[in-house]
């Protein structure tokens, strides 16, 4: 892989279900970067029943974005941890142009690359409503296309699988609407800066990964 040592921040853009989390999990070992999924951080906060988690849950259950002040506080607390010193992969952040602008101000000494995983809406509902996640290591599975070896159990760590409460059809549709209104404009934002590469996410995981590696 070329230029890996210079890639300090890799932003993964894309609609829900495009495979940002799966690709980040595969890439983080190769790139020696931390994987920061803002959705996972929020779900962990909800599980801990922290004040932030309680506030975030109302928005998440409706498929809406969590307010920026909560997001930035949580994100930068995570970025200050030692495993992020070498750089990190952002999965699920930024999600609006305002978040991207603020992030740019705060990360002005980092080298940032942006990857957009593209996937048509028609595939998204199918991917998400049949998705299961490992409660231990967050590995995603799919009831039709990526079944675990043993039903309900993670192949990697053996912990139980669960369906995210926002992966129901009604909430997925709302998340998609929010994506098109608020997050998709980021593609043009980063295109203008010349830092963006797009990859078709409607291919098997290995092909997507190899195209990402070529870009990096
Ligand atoms: P994800 O796991 O990335 O699909 O995120 C799940 C939910 O967490 C989203 O639908 C939002 O409610 C919330 N969330 C995650 N990242 C962000 C963000 N950058 N800004 C606002 N809300 C977010």
């Amino acid at each position: 892989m070329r230029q890996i040592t210079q890639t300090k921040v890799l932003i993964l853009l894309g609609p829900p279900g495009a495979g940002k989390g799966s690709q980040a999990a595969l890439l983080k070992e190769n790139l020696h970067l931390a994987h920061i999924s803002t959705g996972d951080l929020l779900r962990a906060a909800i599980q801990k029943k922290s004040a932030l988690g309680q506030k975030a849950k109302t928005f998440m259950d409706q498929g809406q974005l969590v307010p920026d002040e909560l997001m930035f506080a949580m994100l930068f607390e995570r970025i200050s941890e030692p495993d992020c010193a070498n750089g990190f992969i952002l999965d699920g952040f930024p999600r609006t142009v305002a978040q991207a602008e603020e992030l740019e101000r705060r990360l002005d000494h980092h080298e940032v690359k942006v990857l957009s995983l593209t996937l048509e809406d028609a595939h998204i509902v199918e991917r998400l409503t049949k998705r299961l996640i490992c409660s231990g290591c967050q590995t995603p599975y799919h009831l039709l296309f990526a079944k675990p070896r043993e039903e309900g159990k993670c192949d990697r760590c053996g912990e139980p699988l669960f369906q995210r409460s926002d992966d129901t059809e009604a909430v997925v549709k709302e998340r998609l609407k929010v994506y098109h209104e608020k997050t998709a404009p980021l593609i043009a934002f980063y295109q203008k800066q010349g830092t963006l590469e797009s990859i078709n996410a409607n291919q098997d995981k290995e092909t997507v990964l190899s195209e990402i590696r070529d870009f990096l």
Side-chain angles (χ1 to χ4, degrees), residues 106-178:
R106 298 206 196 184
L107 295 182
D108 63 349
H109 55 293
H110 290 65
E111 184 188 335
V112 178
K113 288 193 173 187
V114 187
L115 248 174
S116 167
L117 297 179
T118 62
L119 186 66
E120 285 160 23
D121 286 9
H123 299 293
I124 291 172
V125 179
E126 167 83 353
R127 275 197 185 194
L128 291 188
T129 54
K130 294 193 171 60
R131 175 167 78 170
L132 295 175
I133 311 277
C134 171
S135 55
C137 67
Q138 318 316 318
T139 299
Y141 293 85
H142 190 276
L143 284 172
L144 302 178
F145 309 126
K147 291 186 191 174
R149 282 192 295 271
E150 195 180 328
E151 197 183 322
K153 251 192 179 185
C154 179
D155 294 350
R156 279 191 173 174
C157 70
E159 290 297 314
L161 307 182
F162 72 101
Q163 185 183 34
R164 274 173 47 172
S165 58
D166 59 351
D167 276 349
T168 58
E169 192 168 338
V171 183
V172 166
K173 286 189 171 154
E174 191 54 36
R175 286 162 65 199
L176 264 178
K177 208 169 120 203
V178 169

Side-chain angles (χ1 to χ4, degrees), residues 38-39 42-43 59-60 64-66 71 92-93 95 99 164 166 175:
T38 44
L42 290 167
R43 283 183 287 277
F59 296 94
M60 292 168 78
Q64 300 302 319
L65 296 182
V66 173
M71 293 308 302
F93 198 99
R95 260 187 158 88
Q99 285 185 358
R164 274 173 47 172
D166 59 351
R175 286 162 65 199

Side-chain angles (χ1 to χ4, degrees), residues 2-216:
R2 280 164 284 132
Q3 294 184 6
I4 285 170
T5 51
Q6 290 162 20
T7 306
K8 295 299 181 195
V9 180
L10 176 62
I11 295 176
L12 292 182
L13 285 185
K20 302 184 294 294
S22 304
Q23 292 299 331
L26 295 169
L27 283 167
K28 72 171 189 180
E29 264 128 58
N30 271 301
L31 302 180
H32 306 293
L33 300 174
H35 170 196
I36 305 180
S37 155
T38 44
D40 285 349
L41 291 177
L42 290 167
R43 283 183 287 277
I46 292 173
Q47 226 169 9
K48 273 196 266 165
K49 300 196 188 320
S50 70
L52 183 144
Q54 318 264 29
K55 281 188 205 152
K57 189 173 181 344
T58 327
F59 296 94
M60 292 168 78
D61 282 347
Q62 293 168 7
Q64 300 302 319
L65 296 182
V66 173
D68 283 358
E69 59 183 269
L70 297 182
M71 293 308 302
F72 274 99
M74 186 187 74
L75 177 68
F76 277 85
E77 196 183 315
R78 176 69 185 91
I79 287 175
S80 70
E81 288 175 23
D83 67 323
C84 294
N86 188 43
F88 43 89
I89 302 171
L90 287 178
D91 156 14
F93 198 99
R95 260 187 158 88
T96 62
V97 171
Q99 285 185 358
E101 286 170 344
E102 178 66 15
L103 187 69
E104 210 167 40
R105 277 191 286 277
R106 298 206 196 184
L107 295 182
D108 63 349
H109 55 293
H110 290 65
E111 184 188 335
V112 178
K113 288 193 173 187
V114 187
L115 248 174
S116 167
L117 297 179
T118 62
L119 186 66
E120 285 160 23
D121 286 9
H123 299 293
I124 291 172
V125 179
E126 167 83 353
R127 275 197 185 194
L128 291 188
T129 54
K130 294 193 171 60
R131 175 167 78 170
L132 295 175
I133 311 277
C134 171
S135 55
C137 67
Q138 318 316 318
T139 299
Y141 293 85
H142 190 276
L143 284 172
L144 302 178
F145 309 126
K147 291 186 191 174
R149 282 192 295 271
E150 195 180 328
E151 197 183 322
K153 251 192 179 185
C154 179
D155 294 350
R156 279 191 173 174
C157 70
E159 290 297 314
L161 307 182
F162 72 101
Q163 185 183 34
R164 274 173 47 172
S165 58
D166 59 351
D167 276 349
T168 58
E169 192 168 338
V171 183
V172 166
K173 286 189 171 154
E174 191 54 36
R175 286 162 65 199
L176 264 178
K177 208 169 120 203
V178 169
Y179 170 78
H180 286 295
E181 271 172 31
K182 302 194 168 156
T183 309
L186 283 174
I187 295 172
F189 175 87
Y190 285 119
Q191 244 159 7
K192 252 190 244 158
Q193 298 187 347
T195 47
L196 181 110
E197 176 75 21
S198 290
I199 288 178
N200 173 16
N202 191 25
Q203 313 182 76
D204 60 66
K205 251 200 273 199
E206 291 71 27
T207 311
V208 175
L209 181 64
S210 108
E211 290 188 9
I212 295 176
R213 284 176 166 166
D214 288 345
F215 161 64
L216 296 171

